[in-house]
Amino acid sequence: MSPDLRARWSRTLLAARAADPVPGTAPDPAPYAEDLLARWAEPRRRYHTTAHLTAVLGHVDTLAGHAAAPDLVRLAVWFHDAVYLPDRSENEERSARLAERALTEAGLGPGGVREVARLVRLTVAHDPEDGDADGAVLCDADLAILASGPERYAAYAAAVREEYGFVPDDAFRAGRAAVLRRLLDLPRLFRTPHGEREWEAAARRNLTTELTLLG
């Protein structure tokens, strides 16, 4: 998995730099891949792992035709959970700041850096504005797990619970139920035509079922 991810990172960064170059800078992409992969492989993670990274990148490939700048969306995928501490509430903001620092150093132009950081911050609420094509693709790709079959969805929910193993059951159920209700209250979970057509109904069924099981 990691060799493929390293190759994907290099292709994506090089393509994004070519579209938004900084003259005279061409750092090797490899060290940045190593840092990010180490973050995604932290032992405390159960769901937000390299498997999740790989899955979301695959969903972006499926949705790439709906994006204005698919390589910037892919870079945002790499960073969107790069900082992940389950007991902290500012993970997305810290991940966005990491993207700003790392991508500037890695030779991406300022416009591209701003867009990647903006996209990472969107994953706080997964509620992009109408007309935000890249935001729609990123958020749909990140939420696609919600439309999984029953067994995979159950495994996802169990992995999330493991990441919050330090939280007592009653508090976890209350917090998780609030997250599920917030998602169900969105007018649409998915904003791309593909996501709305292929994933919306299944995701709502899964969320409703989990909410019922939580009591």
Side-chain angles (χ1 to χ4, degrees):
M1 182 184 296
S2 292
D4 178 63
L5 283 172
R6 290 181 177 90
R8 289 198 63 150
W9 164 263
S10 293
R11 288 196 303 270
T12 300
L13 178 59
L14 292 175
R17 285 198 322 213
D20 187 13
V22 176
T25 61
D28 182 359
Y32 302 95
E34 296 307 319
D35 177 72
L36 287 164
L37 287 170
R39 292 171 180 275
W40 283 92
E42 290 163 342
R44 64 176 168 270
R45 297 177 184 238
R46 293 295 181 270
Y47 171 64
H48 297 88
T49 64
T50 52
H52 173 59
L53 170 62
T54 301
V56 178
L57 288 170
H59 294 313
V60 170
D61 290 345
T62 298
L63 301 172
H66 300 295
D71 285 314
L72 296 183
V73 178
R74 292 183 178 102
L75 289 177
V77 172
W78 276 89
F79 283 97
H80 81 289
D81 286 321
V83 177
Y84 186 74
L85 296 168
D87 59 339
R88 303 290 288 272
S89 61
E90 68 275 14
N91 290 316
E92 292 86 358
E93 179 60 30
R94 293 178 67 196
S95 294
R97 291 179 183 176
L98 175 66
E100 290 168 338
R101 295 192 303 272
L103 290 173
T104 297
E105 182 182 296
L108 184 64
V113 172
R114 283 193 300 272
E115 176 65 358
V116 172
R118 182 189 74 83
L119 291 169
V120 171
R121 291 183 174 105
L122 276 181
T123 62
V124 174
H126 295 93
D127 190 16
E129 296 287 337
D130 289 344
D132 181 0
D134 290 338
V137 168
L138 175 62
C139 291
D140 279 17
D142 196 28
L143 293 181
I145 183 65
L146 301 181
S148 299
E151 289 187 7
R152 188 177 178 202
Y153 186 89
Y156 147 73
V160 171
R161 179 65 184 106
E162 285 187 50
E163 286 187 335
Y164 286 87
F166 57 90
V167 179
D169 285 342
D170 287 348
F172 177 81
R173 283 195 296 269
R176 180 67 177 170
V179 170
L180 299 177
R181 290 191 188 98
R182 178 181 62 77
L183 289 169
L184 285 166
D185 285 343
L186 291 171
R188 289 180 295 156
L189 287 165
F190 298 100
R191 307 305 178 87
T192 64
H194 179 94
E196 188 170 13
R197 182 179 67 250
E198 301 293 335
W199 299 333
E200 184 80 20
R204 288 190 177 275
R205 283 195 301 272
N206 285 332
L207 292 171
T208 301
T209 297
E210 185 184 359
L211 189 57
T212 300
L213 292 172
L214 286 170

